[in-house]
Amino acid sequence: MSYYYQHPDVMGFERKMRTAIMEAAAALNASGADFAVYEDSRGNPQFWTRTANGGLLLKKGVLPSVGLSDIFRNGHLYAFECGTAMVIVLYRATIEVIGENAFNRYFQDLFLWDWHYDSNLRLIATHHISEASPGDVVYFKNPDHAPDKVEWQGENAIMLEGGLYYGHGIGIAPAEVIIDSLNQERFPGSVTSSYLTNEALHPDFAYLQSLSLGREPSPVDHRNLESTIFSRIGTQSYIHKMKR
């Protein structure tokens, strides 16, 4: 697969972002934030309002960078599921690389709930797991999960270096450990193992770089890149083709 960069610094920006994503994953893992299904989610009421569907809505007057950073500072006050955790990790990395001012300008009115994310995050998905790189978000699927435990239908995870992954609620572990954890939650008698799917996603690095430079973003050339916008809502996955 060939990647085309509009600006010579995009490759360097991507390296910074991927490093920041992995660091954010480790930080969230160490923050003390708990895993919880939607009905049991919680957040620091100083910065976030918990909505009826279990989401966390940033309070008026709170800077997005401040509310987001509090999750890592006071993790014991927070609980959410793994999709939300992935978005939080990507937001944290974005703050670290583009800076608080740019983040607060472009990522306002944050709402943390499953795979809901600000349109300026612009996630790109590919369907070749062999080409995934550290800093990508991947998905472990548990096709025979116990029917009464939909939270075990799979695990969103950040690919780290050294064959490790971060999955919220499972922690940092090799793929085999994540798969084994999911396999413990299959319906009785199942012989179908959980597995790492072919999907991987990452931010549109060229777009985020344009935000950091404070200029109107231009379309990104994705020639030879099988690209889509990826989101996961509830128990369903939605793949939206990018407009050319």
Side-chain angles (χ1 to χ4, degrees), residues 4-63:
Y4 295 80
Y5 295 96
Q6 289 185 309
H7 191 283
D9 291 337
V10 174
M11 188 177 294
F13 183 89
E14 175 177 340
R15 285 195 293 266
K16 291 179 182 178
M17 274 295 301
R18 289 187 179 278
T19 297
I21 289 169
M22 290 186 284
E23 291 174 346
L28 187 59
N29 183 59
S31 70
D34 291 328
F35 176 89
V37 295
Y38 303 115
E39 52 264 34
D40 296 325
S41 66
R42 64 178 188 274
N44 186 347
Q46 181 179 351
F47 301 108
W48 301 90
T49 298
R50 185 181 181 279
T51 59
N53 63 356
L56 297 176
L57 180 64
L58 188 67
K59 288 191 170 182
K60 296 294 184 183
V62 176
L63 290 174

Side-chain angles (χ1 to χ4, degrees), residues 142-148 182-192:
N142 185 9
D144 285 355
H145 66 89
D148 60 336
L182 292 172
N183 283 346
Q184 302 306 309
E185 301 298 336
R186 292 176 294 179
F187 61 73
S190 170
V191 294
T192 301

Side-chain angles (χ1 to χ4, degrees), residues 27-177:
L28 187 59
N29 183 59
S31 70
D34 291 328
F35 176 89
V37 295
Y38 303 115
E39 52 264 34
D40 296 325
S41 66
R42 64 178 188 274
N44 186 347
Q46 181 179 351
F47 301 108
W48 301 90
T49 298
R50 185 181 181 279
T51 59
N53 63 356
L56 297 176
L57 180 64
L58 188 67
K59 288 191 170 182
K60 296 294 184 183
V62 176
L63 290 174
S65 63
V66 172
L68 205 287
S69 296
D70 186 68
I71 300 172
F72 294 83
R73 185 177 300 110
N74 294 301
H76 64 284
L77 299 177
Y78 293 85
F80 36 77
E81 43 66 59
C82 62
T84 298
M86 298 299 101
V87 175
I88 290 171
V89 166
L90 296 176
Y91 280 157
R92 165 67 176 260
T94 301
I95 292 172
E96 292 299 315
V97 177
I98 75 172
E100 292 185 359
N101 289 339
F103 186 84
N104 291 334
R105 176 181 177 184
Y106 292 107
F107 293 82
Q108 299 180 13
D109 303 317
L110 293 185
F111 177 57
L112 305 176
W113 179 78
D114 197 29
W115 270 103
H116 178 97
Y117 55 87
D118 189 283
S119 61
N120 279 310
L121 189 56
R122 282 203 185 183
L123 301 182
I124 296 174
T126 61
H127 306 282
H128 306 281
I129 194 63
S130 62
E131 298 177 357
S133 299
D136 280 353
V137 182
V138 298
Y139 187 66
F140 292 85
K141 183 175 179 61
N142 185 9
D144 285 355
H145 66 89
D148 60 336
K149 295 182 178 180
V150 294
E151 67 271 21
W152 286 100
Q153 66 185 301
E155 181 77 6
N156 295 285
I158 301 291
M159 177 183 285
L160 306 175
E161 295 177 320
L164 298 176
Y165 299 82
Y166 163 66
H168 184 58
I170 292 180
I172 296 175
E176 295 79 6
V177 172

Side-chain angles (χ1 to χ4, degrees), residues 142-229:
N142 185 9
D144 285 355
H145 66 89
D148 60 336
K149 295 182 178 180
V150 294
E151 67 271 21
W152 286 100
Q153 66 185 301
E155 181 77 6
N156 295 285
I158 301 291
M159 177 183 285
L160 306 175
E161 295 177 320
L164 298 176
Y165 299 82
Y166 163 66
H168 184 58
I170 292 180
I172 296 175
E176 295 79 6
V177 172
I178 295 177
I179 289 172
D180 183 64
S181 296
L182 292 172
N183 283 346
Q184 302 306 309
E185 301 298 336
R186 292 176 294 179
F187 61 73
S190 170
V191 294
T192 301
S193 176
S194 302
Y195 60 92
L196 177 61
T197 68
N198 282 322
E199 289 78 21
L201 68 132
H202 58 77
D204 185 332
F205 300 114
Y207 181 81
L208 285 181
Q209 185 192 38
S210 69
L211 299 185
S212 72
L213 298 174
R215 62 172 183 244
E216 286 300 317
S218 57
V220 179
D221 186 356
H222 290 288
R223 290 170 294 174
N224 295 337
L225 174 60
E226 182 182 355
S227 57
T228 55
I229 301 299

